[in-house]
Amino acid sequence: METITLQFNPNSAFAAALASLLRDAKDVNVMEKRITPKRHRKTNYEKTLEAIRDANEDKNLTSYASVDELFEKLGI
């Protein structure tokens, strides 16, 4: 017996029809292995660059006149 590996888009109608045909075929054993894409996590470098861009664009920034004002805002 030989082994064939197929990779396909699970949203494809053609791939679904082909998989169905193969499952129904005699003398064919279908073994499915689903591969989920790896999630890209930001590196510290990417996080730093993003923070610098945000600071340059004044996004999501809160500034305080003094440390005491910061502590007061935090309830410390």
Side-chain angles (χ1 to χ4, degrees):
M1 180 156 297
E2 296 293 322
T3 301
I4 298 173
T5 303
L6 298 173
Q7 290 183 327
F8 59 90
N9 180 350
N11 298 326
S12 167
F14 174 76
L18 180 60
S20 177
L21 175 73
L22 290 172
R23 272 190 222 96
D24 294 341
K26 199 174 192 181
D27 297 328
V28 174
N29 183 15
V30 176
M31 296 172 26
E32 294 185 33
K33 178 180 177 186
R34 300 191 186 275
I35 300 173
T36 56
K38 290 185 179 180
R39 199 172 83 185
H40 174 72
R41 295 180 186 227
K42 291 181 183 177
T43 64
N44 287 337
Y45 177 74
E46 291 170 325
K47 291 177 187 177
T48 302
L49 287 180
E50 187 175 304
I52 291 170
R53 273 189 236 111
D54 287 349
N56 289 336
E57 297 173 7
D58 291 332
K59 282 187 178 177
N60 302 322
L61 296 178
T62 305
S63 58
Y64 300 97
S66 68
V67 173
D68 295 328
E69 184 182 344
L70 169 64
F71 290 156
E72 182 180 318
K73 182 75 174 182
L74 294 174
I76 298 175

